[in-house]
Amino acid sequence: MQNRFLGKNVLVTGASAGIGEAIAFRFAQEGASVAINYSRNDAGAAATAAQVRSAHAEGGYENATVLSHKADVSDESSVLGMFEAVLGEWGRLDVLINNAGIQKPAESDKSLTADFDRILGVNLRGCYMCSREAIRHFLSRPGGGVIVNNSSVHEIIPKPQYLPYSVSKGGMENLTKTLALEYADRGIRVNAVGPGAIVTPINMNWINDPVAKKVVESHIPMGRAGESEEIAAVFAFLASDEASYITGQTLFACGGLTLFPEFRTTWSS
């Protein structure tokens, strides 16, 4: 394991489970101090913190620390409080990972405005507010900074019955590109990762159903769902100096889902 983030401070939102948990662990494995944000899952956040401490110990990163902060990223006062607490403890933030996200299925004609607002509030508004606060900090001191957003293949692939989720990820694509362009000349890079079907708690309804799992994986050119650890590795790459000339991009880690897999068999002239 490399130590690309030795001496760096990283904030990961929605880090109490799934991809966020794997991201926090990966950065800790590479030497970073990690701040774990979560909104409800106290036990999950504690488990993530224990994993981070274990990674620090195993890597011999004696000066690396872990913080946990409970905050709803869709609430501005909560976001401001989180950044105040994290910066108050560390004094500096180097990397922001906007990972927090929710979804709720419903036929679009039967969906509720309250659900639409809540999903966009967490997935897109939260990403905006956390990015804004991180950029304010990056501009306040030398050295720039890095933001990596957790998007989805559904920033470009429609997802019927998940309209608010798809809209939030489409908006995240433009947010990523706009911030990247606006601050590119000030040492701030902004990118996104677009996962496909990944083995996480949010997807257990099909992961634990052999028939449903087979259907899902039949649409993936690589023939399998991805693992959280595979996605975490992409986040680590984009946040590292190895990606120093990359900004404003979404790197799709999707097993080929964005390659129009239904055209594997030629059916159109």
Side-chain angles (χ1 to χ4, degrees):
M1 186 64 65
Q2 305 177 69
N3 58 357
R4 294 176 292 186
F5 302 102
L6 191 63
K8 300 290 188 179
N9 299 328
V10 180
L11 169 60
V12 185
T13 69
S16 62
I19 293 174
E21 178 183 13
I23 293 170
F25 182 63
R26 176 60 185 249
F27 277 101
Q29 285 182 304
E30 296 206 38
S33 291
V34 180
I36 298 162
N37 159 258
Y38 67 105
S39 63
R40 295 185 303 275
N41 188 357
D42 296 89
T48 301
Q51 289 187 53
V52 168
R53 293 189 188 95
S54 175
H56 287 161
E58 185 173 340
Y61 305 127
E62 296 178 357
N63 295 323
T65 58
V66 57
L67 307 176
S68 293
H69 191 89
K70 190 172 188 176
D72 178 356
V73 298
S74 70
D75 179 75
E76 186 168 29
S77 62
S78 292
V79 170
L80 295 176
M82 176 174 66
F83 274 84
E84 182 179 6
V86 169
L87 292 173
E89 183 70 26
W90 283 341
R92 180 185 177 95
L93 181 68
D94 300 288
V95 179
L96 167 66
I97 306 296
N98 282 310
N99 170 74
I102 58 174
Q103 61 182 10
K104 184 177 181 180
E107 293 180 32
S108 296
D109 63 302
K110 298 180 177 66
S111 63
L112 301 177
T113 302
D115 290 336
F116 185 95
D117 290 344
R118 176 61 180 161
I119 292 167
L120 263 71
V122 173
N123 297 8
L124 186 56
R125 189 169 185 265
C127 178
Y128 150 69
M129 290 189 293
C130 289
S131 296
R132 181 193 65 196
E133 295 309 305
I135 290 170
R136 285 174 174 173
H137 170 67
F138 295 157
L139 294 174
S140 74
R141 44 85 176 153
V146 177
I147 298 172
V148 188
N149 301 319
N150 193 358
S151 187
S152 167
V153 294
H154 296 294
E155 78 170 39
I156 60 172
I157 299 175
K159 191 176 186 182
Q161 298 186 22
Y162 288 84
L163 177 65
Y165 181 81
S166 292
V167 169
S168 73
K169 297 306 182 180
M172 182 179 283
E173 178 189 20
N174 199 288
L175 180 149
T176 298
K177 290 180 181 296
T178 299
L179 291 179
L181 180 60
E182 188 170 352
Y183 297 98
D185 62 348
R186 282 173 274 185
I188 297 171
R189 294 191 300 108
V190 186
N191 289 295
V193 178
I198 309 301
V199 178
T200 64
I202 200 172
N203 289 326
M204 286 304 168
N205 61 322
W206 59 261
I207 290 168
N208 291 329
D209 182 336
V211 175
K213 187 170 185 286
K214 185 176 180 180
V215 170
V216 169
E217 294 183 335
S218 72
H219 294 286
I220 304 171
M222 290 183 69
R224 65 174 179 85
E227 299 291 339
S228 295
E229 293 75 17
E230 293 177 292
I231 305 304
V234 181
F235 276 90
F237 164 68
L238 286 175
S240 76
D241 289 341
E242 293 179 81
S244 59
Y245 203 53
I246 301 174
T247 196
Q249 306 303 310
T250 297
L251 202 169
F252 290 104
C254 62
L257 267 177
T258 55
L259 300 175
F260 302 97
E262 300 311 315
F263 280 88
R264 284 176 288 184
T265 300
T266 302
W267 53 265
S268 171
S269 60

